[in-house]
Amino acid sequence: MVQTIPAREISLYELEEKFGLQLATDTNLFTEWTENLPTLTDGEKQAIARVKSNYLNLSRHRLISEEAVKMVVLSPLLDLAGFYQLPFDIETETSVEISAEDESFIVKGNIDVLIIQKRFWVLVIESKSSKFDVMTALPQALAYMLDSPNPAQPTFGLLINGREFVFIKLIQQEYPWYVRSDALSIERDSELHQVLSILKRLGELIRNS
């Protein structure tokens, strides 16, 4: 009997058991979030200071919804990183379906934001309301990333709840494995600067590949 589960309900344990996913602990496997990051211009720093100010102002009144996180925080960061310009394209609510090797277990869902270059998946983004821990988005994002049409290439992911950001790198070889960054906070300028630098760095890697 085939079991179908929504991606938002998948657990890391189920991804490990059904798809062989493993967490790699070697930090040298994911240097893209720490090394050779581009320096931000004064204009870029001013722009993300505005993003921070907008988020903090709105969060004083209420918890920020998932849609507001996309609008207030994510959208301007993607703009600053150049993902709204060629050679990139953006899709929203992209349908995804992955199945275990014996096809007895199927995961279905929709990617919040998908950045692509031609057919290559550049960045899978899963957003949550500020009321949720950012890591609650990890299993869902990994499930989507496992469905990349180019499994020979690394796929990158970004988890965001407005307050925090976590980057993921997934590689599918003999078995799929992933590495994740530390959680970076919008409340610390250096870490918010790093978020934009990482996004710009990932864009550079794709352009130059």
Side-chain angles (χ1 to χ4, degrees):
M1 180 178 177
V2 177
Q3 179 184 2
T4 300
I5 184 171
R8 64 179 179 275
E9 297 177 8
I10 196 75
S11 68
L12 284 176
Y13 175 78
E14 288 169 317
L15 291 175
E16 293 166 359
E17 289 294 304
K18 303 296 184 181
F19 301 95
L21 182 67
Q22 296 185 31
L23 170 66
T25 56
D26 184 353
T27 56
N28 291 321
L29 297 174
F30 187 14
T31 59
E32 291 89 347
W33 78 278
T34 55
E35 296 181 4
N36 300 314
L37 298 181
T39 301
L40 301 185
T41 66
D42 289 341
E44 289 170 336
K45 291 179 181 178
Q46 291 171 6
I48 57 175
R50 181 75 171 180
V51 172
K52 174 181 177 179
S53 174
N54 289 341
Y55 172 80
L56 293 178
N57 178 61
L58 293 174
S59 64
R60 288 172 54 218
H61 301 280
R62 64 186 64 85
L63 291 170
I64 307 299
S65 70
E66 180 178 331
E67 290 306 312
V69 166
K70 293 178 189 176
M71 179 173 62
V72 176
V73 180
L74 178 60
S75 182
L77 286 175
L78 294 180
D79 181 24
L80 289 166
F83 287 121
Y84 295 152
Q85 301 290 328
L86 293 176
F88 303 109
D89 192 13
I90 286 190
E91 296 181 1
T92 58
E93 297 300 321
T94 302
S95 296
V96 173
E97 180 178 313
I98 59 171
S99 59
E101 285 190 9
D102 60 5
E103 298 187 349
S104 63
F105 190 88
I106 296 174
V107 183
K108 292 184 177 182
N110 293 308
I111 300 173
D112 282 349
V113 179
L114 174 63
I115 298 174
I116 58 176
Q117 185 224 13
K118 297 181 180 178
R119 293 187 176 182
F120 287 93
W121 287 18
V122 177
L123 188 63
V124 173
I125 302 172
E126 182 60 31
S127 59
K128 295 295 182 186
S129 164
S130 62
K131 69 180 178 181
F132 292 111
D133 186 309
V134 70
M135 293 305 295
T136 62
L138 179 61
Q140 189 173 353
L142 287 169
Y144 297 149
M145 293 165 71
L146 285 168
D147 193 44
S148 170
N150 306 99
Q153 299 291 329
T155 303
F156 295 95
L158 170 60
L159 316 179
I160 174 174
N161 65 359
R163 184 180 64 257
E164 291 183 316
F165 310 80
V166 173
F167 288 87
I168 316 163
K169 180 179 182 179
L170 174 72
I171 289 186
Q172 303 186 60
Q173 297 177 334
E174 295 180 5
Y175 59 87
W177 55 262
Y178 72 98
V179 190
R180 59 181 177 83
S181 73
D182 295 339
L184 303 171
S185 173
I186 198 171
E187 298 182 1
R188 289 186 281 273
D189 289 346
S190 62
E191 294 184 8
L192 183 55
H193 292 175
Q194 187 176 356
V195 169
L196 179 54
S197 291
I198 295 168
L199 289 171
K200 289 170 66 70
R201 173 65 174 150
L202 296 180
E204 289 175 353
L205 289 172
I206 299 302
R207 288 190 189 94
N208 298 329
S209 62

